[in-house]
Amino acid sequence: MNDIDTETLGWELIGWDSDEQAAHVTGLNRVEILRIRDLFRGRDDDFLETAVYEVPPALYSAMRSAIPHLEFREGLEYQIGGFRLSV
């Protein structure tokens, strides 16, 4: 693992509409990221913090199993990624 301070990170699952507007946003925490990060086999980072990752429909069920409150809305394209929190 790398030396990322996850206390200063936040994550979002964002559903984009056909106009490229963020139509559905769900905040995620470190524990939730740890539950799903291994679903993203092509990732270059331990905590999905350095890039935005596409979430294909094939992952929706596995992600909902790991994080039951997740919702995926029809017609949206989803991505997940981390960002530095304001301190």
Side-chain angles (χ1 to χ4, degrees):
M1 282 195 178
N2 53 24
D3 293 329
I4 297 294
D5 177 8
T6 57
E7 298 300 316
T8 63
L9 294 176
W11 294 267
E12 289 180 332
L13 174 67
I14 302 173
W16 300 93
D17 66 17
S18 60
D19 293 327
E20 298 184 10
Q21 298 294 314
H24 182 222
V25 179
T26 303
L28 299 169
N29 63 41
R30 180 184 183 278
V31 172
E32 292 168 329
I33 290 300
L34 289 173
R35 289 181 191 160
I36 63 170
R37 69 180 180 181
D38 291 337
L39 296 174
F40 297 88
R41 300 193 195 289
R43 66 184 163 80
D44 294 328
D45 49 12
D46 288 326
F47 294 99
L48 306 176
E49 80 277 6
T50 62
V52 174
Y53 295 90
E54 181 180 341
V55 181
L59 290 182
Y60 292 1
S61 179
M63 289 181 68
R64 278 192 299 261
S65 291
I67 307 171
H69 73 86
L70 289 184
E71 177 185 342
F72 295 93
R73 297 181 183 167
E74 192 171 328
L76 300 181
E77 294 183 12
Y78 283 88
Q79 295 178 329
I80 193 168
F83 58 91
R84 186 161 306 282
L85 297 170
S86 298
V87 286

